[in-house]
Amino acid sequence: MRGGDVAAAEAGSPRSPDLYDLSDDSDYAAAAAASDRTVMRTDPADRGSEETARVDVVYEKERVTIHPSQYGSGRISGKLRLFLQQGSLFLSWEPNEGADSLSTSSVGVEIEKYRNLYTIKALPLSDVRFIRRYTPTFGLDYIIIVLSSGLAFPPFYFYNSGIRELFATLKQHVFIIRSDDDPNVFLVNDFQDPLQKSLSSLELPGVASVANAMSRQNSLSFTGSNDESRHGATSSMSQYSSKQKHKSNDPGRDLSIQVLEKFSLVTKFARDTTSSLFRDNSGAHAYGRQQHEYILDNKATDKHKNQYITPEKASTPSATIESDPLPLVWGKQRDHPLSVKEWAAFLDPEGRVMDSKALRKKVFYGGVDHALRKEVWKFLLGYHEYDSTYAEREYLAAMKRAEYEAVKSQWKSISATQAKRFTKFRERKGLIDKDVVRTDRSIPYYEGDDNQNVVVLRDILLTYSFYNFNLGYCQGMSDFLAPILYVMEDESESFWCFASLMERLGANFNRDQNGMHAQLLALSKLVELLDPPLHNYFRQNDCLNYFFCFRWVLIQFKREFSFDQIMLLWEVLWTHYLSEHFHLYLCVAILKKYRQRIIGEQMDFDTLLKFINELSGQINLDRAIQDAEALCTIAGENGASCIPPGTPPSMPIETDGGLYVQEDEVL
């Protein structure tokens, strides 16, 4: 620590770590040099118990910032601290008061509303799995903190440096080592062999112990100042001072895997160990057998409060989890799939789609006959333009096939000697090789040893990692590609359809996680609009991060439905007929359907995550789409305003570069 910093700290009077604050104002720059300091403080609220209340602040840094939206200007600056109590080290981050100086008025208002969403009152370092440091060539240094549960905070950007001092302080108080596999990964409190650890421990069947680590989620405050009485520093630190970190072991993977992958795996660990936790002896309700009324709680308009629509009786899956008979207005009944005859009627003699909106509407309400998917999906995914002719599409296919082979040759020509000097290639290839052999292997198209379709799947993903080298490969991409290859049965066309899809969903896999956080934040606002009681329950129980929906959003319900069902759902989503973000309304519909169970059983984050996991294979897809349609229609413009422009799967917003260029920006 610099001498000037120590002197500045000694000169200052003791202050409570919860009260001291500095806004991002013009006077801040002059005092920035004194922002790192070591101070010993005593909480004045509990002087009668000095042993318990004593707080030693060992690190403090201003202008540590998160970017909860995809806008560079939409940022929240705050103060990051490390402090000791009763021999245990804790981390806190609290946002500054007032809007940031570089936020536009519209973005600033939105950011201000959610300023306290990511507040951390007292996170015990014993709950931290590792910290990953990023030092991009262009832009700001930042870190991502990953918990032993696998969940992660949004990136913390250091506008006034300070990462080096942070790690130096950590090394003085906890056991922290650098990973041998990735020099930017620092394992915290890892007393076991780091080479035998990985982020993907939740991928292994039967690892129920990971569920125990999720109970520490209560140490995080996502509820803002309303709940500060429930998250006081003293009570939080006392609660966790004796906790020991729970470990998990997976020798099959390396620690260099990106943080985002873990979220796609976080919902597997409970299946084998909690299958009977939420069973109802009386069996599942036949949801929708009564007339239902949609009530938008205190936000509904009178026009919708009295709407009654009687759904046709339909068979429900043999569910082990009972849904709530929530009052919902039903959307339009599902139609038959687009037939060959109907498809031909949409085309003019030269092959142009004459009414793309009508086509998308037809697909939205009925899907596509499987025999037509190979042709129709190319339009839905943006590989073909709706006004293109047969001849133009044939020419495009030839050109794109040549372009694909050119990109593929880049990695095919890498020799073993060159690969030894190409770390990024080895890492990505190794990760892809491990993922493709466990992607949809129960489907006949991919089952069995030495399956050539699995080889093609790997080749496409490797080629894409060279085509979009900034994004590369992340776990979850193989989940998107497998159904596309199954439908197209053509390597080049599968690649370009997948590449088109990643233009919209690539932000799901960015290392800074801004794409995912933007969607989860939008989901939070939609639930607040469409189901205030459920939103309030989540707020009171520290569940406003909506991480329990992470897998739903990340891979768009791929693990929740059968292979045939997911092809139907995805083609519905790809129409963008009612909304580009229809998947978020689907999330709301499913949560709303089980609202009474969630609130009635007082589910905390742990229990809620397990409950969401158990829904896999239990959701009636047709009815979920109908409910989501009703919610989307009634929410209208108010719902659309909850979702900022550029939120995936919307096309990324073109910018002028802003303050900096992100390391993993999707172009």
Side-chain angles (χ1 to χ4, degrees):
M1 181 169 293
R2 297 182 297 273
D5 294 339
V6 176
E10 293 175 347
S13 59
R15 291 164 293 187
S16 166
D18 289 328
L19 299 178
Y20 179 73
D21 192 19
L22 257 182
S23 298
D24 264 326
D25 55 25
S26 58
D27 296 329
Y28 173 75
S35 61
D36 291 334
R37 47 189 166 276
T38 301
V39 186
M40 183 175 293
R41 299 169 185 161
T42 300
D43 189 344
D46 194 14
R47 295 184 184 278
S49 180
E50 184 172 349
E51 178 68 22
T52 301
R54 177 168 170 172
V55 175
D56 297 339
V57 179
V58 295
Y59 174 88
E60 188 173 84
K61 189 68 179 177
E62 290 284 354
R63 297 194 75 191
V64 178
T65 303
I66 66 171
H67 298 163
S69 72
Q70 296 196 97
Y71 304 101
S73 59
R75 67 182 196 183
I76 302 176
S77 288
K79 184 189 306 180
L80 185 72
R81 288 193 187 94
L82 296 174
F83 53 93
L84 292 165
Q85 189 191 30
Q86 293 183 303
S88 296
L89 186 67
F90 294 83
L91 178 146
S92 69
W93 180 85
E94 297 188 42
N96 296 333
E97 297 296 332
D100 290 286
S101 58
L102 291 181
S103 296
T104 63
S105 58
S106 59
V107 174
V109 170
E110 194 65 26
I111 293 300
E112 181 65 25
K113 181 178 178 182
Y114 293 92
R115 164 172 303 279
N116 292 323
L117 188 62
Y118 298 106
T119 297
I120 306 172
K121 291 294 185 182
L123 170 68
L125 264 293
S126 60
D127 285 358
V128 175
R129 174 69 183 90
F130 68 85
I131 301 174
R132 182 153 189 164
R133 179 187 64 188
Y134 293 89
T135 54
T137 305
F138 301 100
L140 299 166
D141 294 351
Y142 63 96
I143 62 171
I144 293 179
I145 300 172
V146 180
L147 304 182
S148 57
S149 64
L151 299 182
F153 291 101
F156 290 102
Y157 293 87
F158 286 69
Y159 275 70
N160 280 352
S161 68
I163 292 182
R164 184 184 299 273
E165 292 83 353
L166 172 66
F167 281 101
T169 305
L170 286 171
K171 289 179 181 179
Q172 296 175 16
H173 300 282
V174 296
F175 185 76
I176 182 169
I177 58 174
R178 189 191 299 265
S179 167
D180 291 337
D181 296 309
D182 190 333
N184 290 317
V185 169
F186 294 83
L187 307 173
V188 181
N189 297 320
D190 194 312
F191 296 100
Q192 303 181 37
D193 182 0
L195 295 178
Q196 303 303 307
K197 302 291 186 177
S198 88
L199 285 177
S200 63
S201 58
L202 296 184
E203 180 74 19
L204 297 178
V207 187
S209 61
V210 182
N212 299 328
M214 299 299 296
S215 63
R216 299 189 177 94
Q217 184 69 18
N218 293 332
S219 65
L220 315 182
S221 170
F222 294 96
T223 61
S225 57
N226 302 20
D227 302 321
E228 284 193 4
S229 62
R230 301 169 55 239
H231 297 285
T234 301
S235 62
S236 296
M237 290 183 290
S238 300
Q239 180 180 0
Y240 292 102
S241 59
S242 62
K243 283 202 173 184
Q244 297 297 321
K245 185 175 178 182
H246 191 90
K247 294 292 181 179
S248 57
N249 192 348
D250 178 7
R253 301 290 297 278
D254 59 67
L255 282 163
S256 62
I257 300 174
Q258 297 181 11
V259 171
L260 194 56
E261 302 161 14
K262 186 61 181 299
F263 287 97
S264 69
L265 307 175
V266 77
T267 58
K268 282 195 171 184
F269 65 85
R271 254 180 223 158
D272 295 331
T273 58
T274 61
S275 59
S276 63
L277 287 181
F278 303 104
R279 296 182 188 275
D280 192 316
N281 293 332
S282 61
H285 265 295
Y287 176 71
R289 297 194 184 276
Q290 301 177 356
Q291 290 184 334
H292 295 306
E293 175 186 8
Y294 180 84
I295 303 175
L296 194 56
D297 299 293
N298 62 334
K299 294 183 181 291
T301 62
D302 293 338
K303 181 177 77 171
H304 299 294
K305 284 186 177 178
N306 297 318
Q307 289 187 355
Y308 289 84
I309 299 177
T310 304
E312 296 180 359
K313 292 184 178 181
S315 61
T316 57
S318 56
T320 59
I321 299 179
E322 181 179 349
S323 64
D324 302 328
L326 289 179
L328 286 176
V329 124
W330 285 84
K332 181 179 176 181
Q333 289 294 312
R334 304 299 297 162
D335 200 357
H336 65 270
L338 176 71
S339 66
V340 174
K341 182 178 180 180
E342 289 171 320
W343 170 241
F346 277 107
L347 303 176
D348 70 9
E350 293 185 329
R352 300 181 184 88
V353 176
M354 295 180 289
D355 190 341
S356 61
K357 184 176 181 180
L359 173 63
R360 291 186 292 111
K361 180 179 179 180
K362 172 60 185 175
V363 174
F364 178 85
Y365 284 110
V368 181
D369 186 277
H370 186 71
L372 288 173
R373 280 178 171 149
K374 179 179 175 65
E375 191 170 358
V376 177
W377 277 22
K378 297 173 189 176
F379 291 92
L380 297 178
L381 288 168
Y383 175 56
H384 287 328
E385 298 291 340
Y386 285 104
D387 61 354
S388 62
T389 64
Y390 292 125
E392 289 170 341
R393 295 196 287 271
E394 184 177 353
Y395 175 75
L396 175 68
M399 296 295 293
K400 286 296 186 180
R401 182 166 283 104
E403 185 178 353
Y404 171 74
E405 292 298 333
V407 178
K408 183 178 179 180
S409 67
Q410 294 177 13
W411 64 266
K412 292 285 284 185
S413 63
I414 295 177
S415 65
T417 302
Q418 184 182 3
K420 292 180 181 179
R421 297 169 175 81
F422 198 167
T423 303
K424 184 66 70 175
F425 171 70
R426 294 200 314 274
E427 289 177 351
R428 291 179 176 178
K429 184 178 184 299
L431 183 55
I432 291 170
D433 286 341
K434 292 173 183 177
D435 282 350
V436 295
V437 296
R438 58 189 182 190
T439 300
D440 292 323
R441 295 308 296 274
S442 62
I443 307 303
Y445 190 77
Y446 294 111
E447 69 181 1
D449 297 332
D450 301 322
N451 188 313
Q452 286 302 305
N453 295 322
V454 176
V455 175
V456 174
L457 192 71
R458 182 208 63 177
D459 288 355
I460 294 174
L461 292 171
L462 266 173
T463 304
Y464 182 78
S465 73
F466 272 71
Y467 174 76
N468 189 347
F469 201 81
N470 285 341
L471 184 60
Y473 174 79
C474 301
Q475 193 163 28
M477 289 183 177
S478 61
D479 285 285
F480 281 116
L481 176 59
I484 294 175
L485 177 59
Y486 171 79
V487 167
M488 297 299 161
E489 297 185 296
D490 181 275
E491 185 172 345
S492 172
E493 291 183 340
S494 298
F495 171 85
W496 291 113
C497 287
F498 174 73
S500 296
L501 181 62
M502 286 298 103
E503 286 295 307
R504 290 184 173 274
L505 295 179
N508 281 15
F509 303 99
N510 279 351
R511 287 185 177 180
D512 62 13
Q513 303 176 33
N514 276 352
M516 286 302 302
H517 281 287
Q519 291 174 85
L520 293 178
L521 189 59
L523 175 58
S524 173
K525 291 188 282 185
L526 286 174
V527 174
E528 182 179 15
L529 171 69
L530 295 166
D531 197 336
L534 184 59
H535 177 83
N536 290 335
Y537 178 82
F538 288 154
R539 178 180 58 79
Q540 294 165 7
N541 289 272
D542 296 341
C543 294
L544 282 185
N545 53 27
Y546 282 80
F547 280 157
F548 48 86
C549 295
F550 203 102
R551 187 178 71 181
W552 288 0
V553 176
L554 180 70
I555 52 177
Q556 301 212 319
F557 299 94
K558 175 68 183 300
R559 309 286 173 83
E560 320 314 317
F561 298 102
S562 69
F563 196 80
D564 288 337
Q565 287 178 316
I566 206 62
M567 289 190 291
L568 169 61
L569 174 59
W570 282 1
E571 60 199 15
V572 168
L573 298 180
W574 294 341
T575 64
H576 302 149
Y577 175 64
L578 290 181
S579 170
E580 286 185 316
H581 305 93
F582 191 75
H583 68 298
L584 298 181
Y585 290 96
L586 191 63
C587 293
V588 179
I590 297 172
L591 293 174
K592 189 174 182 69
K593 181 177 181 180
Y594 293 98
R595 180 230 285 168
Q596 292 180 4
R597 290 286 305 278
I598 293 170
I599 298 178
E601 297 182 13
Q602 292 293 298
M603 296 184 186
D604 58 11
F605 185 88
D606 279 10
T607 312
L608 182 58
L609 180 61
K610 293 177 183 178
F611 178 75
I612 294 298
N613 297 340
E614 289 293 312
L615 291 179
S616 178
Q618 308 295 334
I619 303 169
N620 186 309
L621 177 59
D622 284 349
R623 289 178 174 173
I625 293 174
Q626 287 176 285
D627 291 348
E629 178 197 348
L631 293 171
C632 184
T633 301
I634 293 176
E637 293 183 359
N638 290 331
S641 66
C642 292
I643 307 171
T647 298
S650 296
M651 292 297 288
I653 295 177
E654 296 293 335
T655 66
D656 58 0
L659 295 175
Y660 61 93
V661 178
Q662 293 186 12
E663 181 183 14
D664 296 290
E665 183 178 358
V666 179
L667 301 178

